[in-house]
Amino acid sequence: MKPTLDDILNGVPEQGGNGGKPLSPTKKADARSETQLDKISASAKRLLTEEAEQRADKIARLSAARRALGRDDNT
């Protein structure tokens, strides 16, 4: 015999709910929601900034090492 819906839901407590009415908008929903494209763009900008900072640090270290060796040329 297949279990009925009442058999399955027997131990589940009753839920309150709002009677099927649409949910009212929250303040967060009223604010400008960030789209997926906005999130991707912000992430890409952050990544590019971090990489640029790492390159600048590397160039500064290499320049300091060249100066320490007495070679000021960029070759």
Side-chain angles (χ1 to χ4, degrees):
M1 177 170 127
K2 290 185 178 179
T4 64
L5 184 60
D6 291 333
D7 294 337
I8 296 171
L9 298 178
N10 191 18
V12 178
E14 190 172 325
Q15 301 292 314
N18 65 355
K21 298 176 188 171
L23 297 175
S24 61
T26 61
K27 290 183 180 180
K28 187 175 182 180
D30 291 338
R32 181 180 170 267
S33 61
E34 195 173 28
T35 64
Q36 188 68 24
L37 181 59
D38 293 335
K39 292 177 185 177
I40 292 170
S41 297
S43 178
K45 287 177 185 177
R46 187 177 61 249
L47 179 67
L48 289 173
T49 302
E50 289 172 0
E51 287 178 351
E53 289 172 356
Q54 289 173 354
R55 279 193 308 274
D57 291 342
K58 180 180 178 182
I59 290 171
R61 284 193 314 271
L62 291 174
S63 295
R66 281 191 204 105
R67 282 193 303 273
L69 292 175
R71 296 184 347 199
D72 288 330
D73 60 343
N74 289 331
T75 57

